[in-house]
Amino acid sequence: MSRTNSALIRFAVLLIGLSVGFNATIQAQEDDNLEIFDYTDPQDYEIGGIKVTGAFFSDETALIGVSGLAVGDKIRIPGYDIPRALRNLWRLRLFTDVQILQEKKIGDVIFLEYIVQERPRLSRFSYKGVKKSFHDDLNDEVNRYLLKGGIVTEDIKVNAAESIRAFFVEKGFLDTRVAVEEINDTSRVNAVRLVFDVNQNDKIKVKNIFFSGNTAVKSRRLRKEMETKEKRRFLTGSKFIAEEYDADQDAIIAFYNKIGYRDARIVQDSSWRNEKGELVLQIDLAEGTQYFFRDIAFKGNSIYETQQLEEVLGIVSGDVYNQELLETRLSFSQDGRDVSTLYMDNGYLFFRADPIETAIEGDSIDLEIRIFEGPQATIDKVTIAGNDRTHEHVIRRELRTRPGDKFSRSDIIRSQRQIINLNYFNPENLGINTPVNPNRGTVDIEYTVEEKPSDQLELSAGWGGQRRVIGTLGVTFNNFSLRNITNRKAWHPLPQGDGQRVSLRAQTNGDFYQSYNISFTEPWLGGKKPTSLTVAGFYNRFTNGASKNNPDAYQSFNITQFSVSVGTRLRWPDDNFVSRTGVNIQTLNLQNWSLFNVFRSDDGQVVRGGYYNNFSITQTLARNTVNDPLFPKEGSNISLSVQFTPPYSVFDDKNYADLPPEDRYRWLEYHKWRFDAEWYATLVGKLVLKAQTKFGVIGSYNNEIGTSPFERFQLGGDGINNQQFGYAGVDIISSRGYEIADFPGNTIGNGQEVATPLYSKLTFELRYPLSLNPSSTIYVLAFAQGANAWRNGRDFNPFELQRSVGGGVRVFLPMFGTLGFDYGIGIDKTGPRTLQNMGDFNIILGFEPE
């Protein structure tokens, strides 16, 4: 058969098909008489009118416009005009049926009717076979495709069902099946509701992960690089997630690259199910050759000598080739040891270092690191945005980046830390942008902050044992503005934004105990230097509840203190150091006091009465590099303080040994030393290690007077008494898992508790955050701790510590401070070795105890 005849036959079949399709669509609606159009004699008509039937939700005018036909148009029947209009309406995908009919015909004027059947609209959807805890997450998935009141199509239903399936697959339910049931909703016109019937089936575990081709690295070591884990008896996290598995393969190759196998690749990977339906993975590797660095040369450096660059790089000939280490040592190492930081801290923002492989011989690689130093960049503008409460000068005075200075990457990092440590802004959303103007050789520094609540309200009630319920009301304004206190427009609800701190606190349980505290801190005295001024005062009153009219039975203990301290940021050894000097004036008044037998002289005499003066000076030297005060991830905080009184006894010739306590300690004299240090380091992911050590000792000037019965230390408990009975003449040091009486140094005959002049404490904590949201920072912790107290220096032994282990949780709420609890188990407790006897709960309210 010729090509011409074949083409004619196909054309004839096409004409017949068009004729049949058109006859099924165009009909005359004049009674029951159908007009048959003659396809051999097409006629031209003018459209006299178009009406639309069946469109409840669609705009009729819009449908007519989309069809391409309009009143007054000339069309040919039979012809291509009507089929083209049908195609245009079908393309909208709004209908399940579309017809174009002849309504009537008057001469050569024809009237058309569009009859459409709209797709159903969604009224609602629900789930079947799914726990309610998943509904919110599934709604987020489904709402990407379904819209209430929107059109329901098969594609939309398939996409929504697949999204649900993918959600459960990601959680390890690889055999999840989702069916969609469409049900007419009789309460609405042309509406349906969808029911997603989900069958999760069993979670698929990864039974085995096999490797082949690995001779240099054991399979067990490669599995450690993977998030996908094999099923183990005590391991439930062996689910298979395709995205994680793909990332695992990249991690395996990255590991090989670190140990010199830069040509390593995965030849193929495969998976199958065993007879139990568990997943088995197979990864075939080609390791290649292990490479080593040989000659490393620098080219283009004029600012720094090659020897200095080599020391910073820290890679020598013979080291295993490690591309990641090379890139880290050239640019942006976490510890600041990299060539880029060396240049950028000196203003060379346009610096670039390009490592070029110049030779590969056998297993050795020669490198040439080509340095482009460029000009020094100067800071042009420093802008701050997002501070809607804190005044700009409060932020700007903490910055190390100032207009006109040379650009320094370290100064930007330090400025970031200083802003975070203000504790006024969300550390997760602190943004720093550095737009560069290469033509001018300048760079702008743009800081973007997000304010968070910083004021705190303390409203609590705690059980004080025999001293009844203790009520506490306290407020702390951490971003106060004293200069705007007379400006009513600045009260929102209080004047704020200048970074000053005001604290008011009151505690009482009626006649037994009352406490009133007030303090004010100006962090930048004068506004030009980081010199802080703190003025504080408190009054505490303890009684046994007896009437004052009965002096023999009435007992009381009153403390009044006023203090002023000044802190200065030092420049040497570096500006992380702070020096603080304080002057404290305190009076202690005891009358028949015997409720707390902690005040004892070295010879065992109990101090029950008298009026005592405690005038002391405190000097503290501290260094703080902690990056975030709420959840530190790195840095340290170390302080050494000494509190001392004048040596009054040097200036007189009294025989203090023969004086009663109320005369011997009329003017307290002592020197008190404290050393506190804590370090933070991120171990892996978000897991943080905290290591802490504390030491305290109080000494005397005169052996006849001995150690002061006040200002000593009492070890044990949760430290909450330091908050409820704070400033009670002793420092209460918490020790999780132990009560005060559990430490031999804290007790004397008949189990009476005393305060000691010497203590030591060592703590290790593992912390993991559950939420770093500034509105509620939450983390859990596990700890190991050792502590002890001694009544004299002769008994001191830093290795004789009462050990404890346990765990806890912390919740920081901006309005209430730190809330949480610990459960500690005292390993070295005496008595029955039961969990009830060895374990103790510790409560944390407002702030971390000592």
Side-chain angles (χ1 to χ4, degrees), residues 678-728:
E678 54 191 29
W679 296 267
Y680 299 90
T682 299
L683 299 181
V684 58
K686 297 180 180 179
L687 186 65
V688 173
L689 170 67
K690 173 189 176 182
Q692 182 184 55
T693 181
K694 289 177 175 286
F695 175 81
V697 60
I698 183 171
S700 63
Y701 301 116
N702 189 327
N703 290 333
E704 290 184 356
I705 298 177
T707 305
S708 167
F710 304 99
E711 295 292 341
R712 297 190 181 195
F713 310 99
Q714 196 168 57
L715 188 62
D718 52 22
I720 196 169
N721 284 339
N722 237 9
Q723 302 171 48
Q724 292 182 343
F725 301 116
Y727 316 106

Side-chain angles (χ1 to χ4, degrees), residues 115-150:
I115 300 178
V116 297
Q117 182 175 345
E118 291 183 311
R119 292 186 182 275
R121 304 286 174 136
L122 179 67
S123 61
R124 55 192 173 92
F125 61 85
S126 59
Y127 308 103
K128 183 180 179 181
V130 176
K131 294 180 180 179
K132 289 185 177 180
S133 58
F134 288 132
H135 283 197
D136 288 341
D137 292 329
L138 291 177
N139 288 343
D140 293 339
E141 298 291 333
V142 173
N143 284 333
R144 292 160 52 192
Y145 304 99
L146 293 178
L147 179 65
K148 189 174 181 180

Side-chain angles (χ1 to χ4, degrees), residues 494-549:
L494 288 172
Q496 56 185 343
D498 278 341
Q500 297 159 345
R501 185 178 185 273
V502 175
S503 177
L504 304 169
R505 192 167 184 262
Q507 281 186 313
T508 183
N509 67 348
D511 295 335
F512 294 99
Y513 170 64
Q514 295 180 33
S515 175
Y516 307 97
N517 306 275
I518 183 171
S519 68
F520 171 80
T521 299
E522 167 55 69
W524 282 65
L525 187 62
K528 295 182 179 181
K529 294 183 179 181
T531 300
S532 65
L533 171 67
T534 299
V535 180
F538 73 83
Y539 170 76
N540 284 358
R541 178 173 176 268
F542 303 87
T543 74
N544 64 347
S547 173
K548 289 184 178 181
N549 297 327

Side-chain angles (χ1 to χ4, degrees), residues 58 153-154 171 247 253 265 284 292 374 420-421 464 500 532 628 678 716 734 807 844:
S58 304
T153 65
E154 290 302 319
K171 295 186 175 299
I253 298 303
R265 61 188 178 90
D284 300 327
F292 299 87
I420 291 174
N421 285 341
Q500 297 159 345
S532 65
D628 184 351
E678 54 191 29
S734 69
I844 296 90

Side-chain angles (χ1 to χ4, degrees), residues 328-356:
T328 300
R329 292 291 174 82
L330 288 177
S331 304
F332 305 118
S333 173
Q334 291 293 328
D335 59 2
R337 180 188 173 181
D338 60 83
V339 177
S340 176
T341 296
L342 184 66
Y343 274 92
M344 288 191 176
D345 281 353
N346 198 16
Y348 290 92
L349 176 62
F350 308 102
F351 161 84
R352 189 176 71 250
D354 298 323
I356 306 298

Side-chain angles (χ1 to χ4, degrees), residues 173-449:
F173 298 93
L174 302 186
D175 293 337
T176 298
R177 299 291 180 267
V178 182
V180 186
E181 185 180 359
E182 184 176 305
I183 303 173
N184 289 329
D185 190 342
T186 57
S187 64
R188 299 185 182 183
V189 176
N190 197 31
V192 296
R193 59 184 179 90
L194 300 180
V195 178
F196 295 98
D197 190 356
V198 181
N199 184 3
Q200 297 174 213
N201 291 309
D202 293 332
K203 183 177 290 188
I204 303 303
K205 303 291 185 179
V206 178
K207 177 61 178 177
N208 297 110
I209 303 175
F210 296 116
F211 294 90
S212 66
N214 56 311
T215 57
V217 183
K218 294 183 178 180
S219 298
R220 180 175 58 186
R221 181 63 186 85
L222 294 177
R223 293 188 190 102
K224 289 183 179 180
E225 297 296 318
M226 303 177 65
E227 291 294 330
T228 305
K229 304 298 182 183
E230 291 183 332
K231 178 183 177 181
R232 290 290 182 264
R233 180 175 299 177
F234 301 106
L235 180 64
T236 59
S238 62
K239 62 186 178 183
F240 178 82
I241 300 174
E243 291 183 1
E244 282 189 0
Y245 182 56
D246 291 340
D248 289 338
Q249 297 183 50
D250 294 337
I252 290 171
I253 298 303
F255 172 73
Y256 268 107
N257 292 340
K258 287 181 182 179
I259 58 175
Y261 292 88
R262 59 177 232 159
D263 298 333
R265 61 188 178 90
I266 293 177
V267 178
Q268 66 176 7
D269 69 286
S270 55
S271 63
W272 63 89
R273 298 282 191 90
N274 62 17
E275 64 278 2
K276 294 183 180 180
E278 299 167 323
L279 195 63
V280 180
L281 304 176
Q282 171 78 37
I283 299 176
D284 300 327
L285 293 162
E287 293 179 328
T289 303
Q290 187 179 30
Y291 291 89
F292 299 87
F293 291 105
R294 190 168 63 180
D295 293 332
I296 302 177
F298 287 88
K299 183 178 180 181
N301 56 302
S302 62
I303 306 301
Y304 297 103
E305 297 291 337
T306 297
Q307 182 179 355
Q308 186 175 1
L309 297 180
E310 289 175 343
E311 291 176 355
V312 174
L313 187 66
I315 299 175
V316 298
S317 179
D319 286 352
V320 172
Y321 185 86
N322 186 337
Q323 181 69 28
E324 181 180 322
L325 176 64
L326 177 63
E327 293 175 354
T328 300
R329 292 291 174 82
L330 288 177
S331 304
F332 305 118
S333 173
Q334 291 293 328
D335 59 2
R337 180 188 173 181
D338 60 83
V339 177
S340 176
T341 296
L342 184 66
Y343 274 92
M344 288 191 176
D345 281 353
N346 198 16
Y348 290 92
L349 176 62
F350 308 102
F351 161 84
R352 189 176 71 250
D354 298 323
I356 306 298
E357 296 179 0
T358 57
I360 301 177
E361 296 181 8
D363 61 355
S364 299
I365 299 177
D366 293 342
L367 288 178
E368 183 179 85
I369 300 176
R370 298 175 182 175
I371 303 293
F372 173 75
E373 295 174 332
Q376 284 182 300
T378 303
I379 298 175
D380 185 13
K381 299 177 182 177
V382 178
T383 61
I384 301 169
N387 52 313
D388 51 12
R389 290 195 299 271
T390 304
H391 298 153
E392 184 169 309
H393 74 273
V394 174
I395 306 172
R396 193 170 291 277
R397 68 194 183 190
E398 299 290 342
L399 302 181
R400 298 295 191 275
T401 54
R402 295 178 175 85
D405 290 351
K406 296 297 183 182
F407 176 86
S408 171
R409 176 172 172 258
S410 295
D411 285 345
I412 292 180
I413 295 174
R414 180 64 188 278
S415 298
Q416 179 185 30
R417 197 184 87 203
Q418 291 297 113
I419 293 174
I420 291 174
N421 285 341
L422 286 174
N423 208 20
Y424 304 151
F425 310 105
N426 180 2
E428 301 297 316
N429 291 339
L430 175 61
I432 301 177
N433 190 27
T434 56
V436 177
N437 188 334
N439 296 328
R440 298 177 56 192
T442 61
V443 59
D444 295 339
I445 313 294
E446 300 173 350
Y447 297 94
T448 305
V449 299

